[in-house]
Amino acid sequence: MKLMKRLSMFALVGILGLSTFSCLNNDDSDFVNYGFFTTEGVTVNQDSIKPINEITNIKVNYSKTNSCQEFIQFSLLKGNQDDSIQYIGVLGSQGSGQSCLPSTSIESKNLKFKPKKAGKYTLKFWTGKDSENKDTFNDSIVLDIKEK
């Protein structure tokens, strides 16, 4: 009998707990969308290419289409850091619900490239989608990384 009383008490507390539980409806907050910015150009001074385990700065120009878009980071899209051909995208964000002004602008960031082995590296940058919705990588640069 004591067991039945305890079980019924737990059941009653559980039902009361579930009936007073409230789902908060705060869908009014902004959501963040992520995507890649179109690369507009890539430059590096050949005299500033560093040997292995040192950072070479590569200037990457990319386009933004409105005032709410923000740069996040460079992202390796294909391959790994030791591959001789690397596909890189400029990752950005945009919040929804913001009052964004449409404006196309070109901005620049430095990609810090630090290879671990010597050799030629081809860096290809994401430039958008083609008519078949496939990624395109047109802006590329070749770096000849030497031993120390």
Side-chain angles (χ1 to χ4, degrees):
M1 248 2 222
K2 283 187 175 186
L3 181 62
M4 288 302 276
K5 275 188 170 181
R6 284 189 182 164
L7 287 176
S8 62
M9 184 60 119
F10 283 126
L12 179 63
V13 169
I15 290 172
L16 284 174
L18 288 176
S19 66
T20 59
F21 179 74
S22 135
C23 293
L24 298 176
N25 186 11
N26 36 336
D27 292 339
D28 299 335
S29 63
D30 289 342
F31 294 99
V32 176
N33 295 316
Y34 299 95
F36 291 99
F37 295 131
T38 303
T39 305
E40 300 294 337
V42 181
T43 56
V44 65
N45 185 348
Q46 293 296 321
D47 297 336
S48 67
I49 297 175
K50 303 290 185 186
I52 60 172
N53 294 318
E54 291 187 34
I55 294 174
T56 297
N57 287 311
I58 301 164
K59 183 179 176 184
V60 179
N61 299 322
Y62 59 92
S63 63
K64 294 177 15 178
T65 58
N66 67 52
S67 62
C68 296
Q69 294 176 334
E70 296 292 328
F71 171 85
I72 295 177
Q73 68 183 21
F74 292 102
S75 181
L76 187 60
L77 301 175
K78 293 182 187 177
N80 62 51
Q81 292 187 350
D82 292 331
D83 287 346
S84 63
I85 299 177
Q86 297 181 11
Y87 297 85
I88 300 168
V90 180
L91 184 64
S93 68
Q94 176 174 328
S96 66
Q98 299 175 346
S99 35
C100 304
L101 300 174
S103 65
T104 302
S105 63
I106 305 291
E107 295 194 3
S108 300
K109 292 287 182 185
N110 281 330
L111 168 65
K112 297 183 183 306
F113 184 69
K114 185 178 177 182
K116 295 177 183 163
K117 62 182 183 179
K120 289 197 182 220
Y121 289 86
T122 303
L123 307 180
K124 296 186 174 208
F125 292 84
W126 189 84
T127 55
K129 301 263 186 187
D130 64 12
S131 61
E132 297 174 355
N133 205 30
K134 292 183 181 178
D135 293 326
T136 58
F137 298 89
N138 293 334
D139 292 333
S140 64
I141 194 159
V142 177
L143 303 174
D144 190 9
I145 304 298
K146 306 284 185 195
E147 293 283 336
K148 291 194 176 198

